[in-house]
Amino acid sequence: MSVMATPLAGLPCGRPLTVDDLERMPDDGHRYELLDGTRLVSPAPNVWHQEVAFALARCLHDACPPELRVVIAPFEWRRGRRTALQPDVLVARRQDLLAVEKGKYLGEPPLLAVEVYSPSTKRIDRLSKLSAYEEAGVASYWLIDPNPDVPELTALDLVDGHYTEVAKLTGAQRWTATKPFPADLCPDALVAGLRPEPGSDRTGLG
């Protein structure tokens, strides 16, 4: 997915955008987000990205306790009126998800935010979004590289107000997360559907 901040007819100029402006975005298949009043636009994710995000969400869902929920994008977390982000996967308290207009968006920081890289979003995920999640007090932030040849998962936990790397997994390495709840993770398992089937030169996606 590429990310861009470009003018759009009807949007105000000369001031930061707000969630009210964001709600005027067209329903055109793009993902529209706000980061400190700046509009981010991402085209629809490709199949690699969606396969990995879904595999992770399924893994987390199977381990999730009843008081928490696993949610996949597009679903919005709002921090004030000038930041509205849609993590590829998030975990939040059930009561927080239902607190605003029966789940229209999440108004409290998620317990976990996950971003799956694409080539053009990697810098934003590692820098700008990382800073936004850190400043908001999101307890855990995971970054996933969905490369089927060398998949990678980096896990960060908030320690004294700053993210600290607690795990970095590649390929067949395994790790049991403790936050936001115990869950067994392996990068290879997340990209299994992207790899060629035995005896075939085609990916498992057909």
Side-chain angles (χ1 to χ4, degrees), residues 66-203:
E67 69 274 14
L68 304 180
R69 290 291 184 271
V70 179
V71 185
I72 60 174
F75 181 76
E76 195 170 87
W77 162 62
R78 293 184 180 181
R79 186 190 183 197
R81 296 185 57 75
R82 294 182 179 177
T83 293
L85 299 176
Q86 296 180 17
D88 292 310
V89 181
L90 68 80
V91 174
R93 297 178 183 87
R94 182 178 183 276
Q95 62 188 35
D96 291 343
L97 287 166
L98 299 178
V100 180
E101 298 183 37
K102 295 185 177 181
K104 181 179 179 181
Y105 61 87
L106 178 63
E108 299 294 331
L111 302 178
L112 167 67
V114 183
E115 299 287 357
V116 179
Y117 288 149
S118 63
S120 54
T121 64
K122 189 171 184 177
R123 182 176 177 82
I124 288 177
D125 292 341
R126 288 180 59 88
L127 297 174
S128 303
K129 286 189 175 182
L130 185 152
S131 294
Y133 293 135
E134 184 179 71
E135 291 172 7
V138 176
S140 298
Y141 181 39
W142 297 352
L143 295 156
I144 298 177
D145 186 337
N147 182 341
D149 296 321
V150 190
E152 185 175 271
L153 185 152
T154 302
L156 308 171
D157 281 351
L158 203 60
V159 178
D160 296 328
H162 298 283
Y163 279 134
T164 297
E165 185 177 298
V166 294
K168 194 179 187 80
L169 316 175
T170 302
Q173 292 178 326
R174 306 191 72 89
W175 173 62
T176 299
T178 58
K179 296 181 180 180
F181 49 79
D184 295 326
L185 299 167
C186 173
D188 273 353
L190 299 180
V191 301
L194 303 178
R195 289 177 167 167
E197 298 175 359
S200 170
D201 59 0
R202 301 174 63 190
T203 68

Side-chain angles (χ1 to χ4, degrees), residues 19-108:
V19 292
D20 294 330
D21 300 315
L22 196 66
E23 289 180 349
R24 296 164 50 199
M25 296 295 100
D27 184 9
D28 57 6
H30 290 76
R31 182 185 300 183
Y32 292 96
E33 299 175 281
L34 278 183
L35 186 55
D36 294 328
T38 298
R39 182 173 59 97
L40 304 177
V41 186
S42 303
N46 64 30
V47 69
W48 283 23
H49 181 282
Q50 292 299 79
E51 175 78 12
V52 172
F54 180 76
L56 176 65
R58 182 173 54 194
C59 173
L60 292 175
H61 180 271
D62 289 345
C64 186
E67 69 274 14
L68 304 180
R69 290 291 184 271
V70 179
V71 185
I72 60 174
F75 181 76
E76 195 170 87
W77 162 62
R78 293 184 180 181
R79 186 190 183 197
R81 296 185 57 75
R82 294 182 179 177
T83 293
L85 299 176
Q86 296 180 17
D88 292 310
V89 181
L90 68 80
V91 174
R93 297 178 183 87
R94 182 178 183 276
Q95 62 188 35
D96 291 343
L97 287 166
L98 299 178
V100 180
E101 298 183 37
K102 295 185 177 181
K104 181 179 179 181
Y105 61 87
L106 178 63
E108 299 294 331

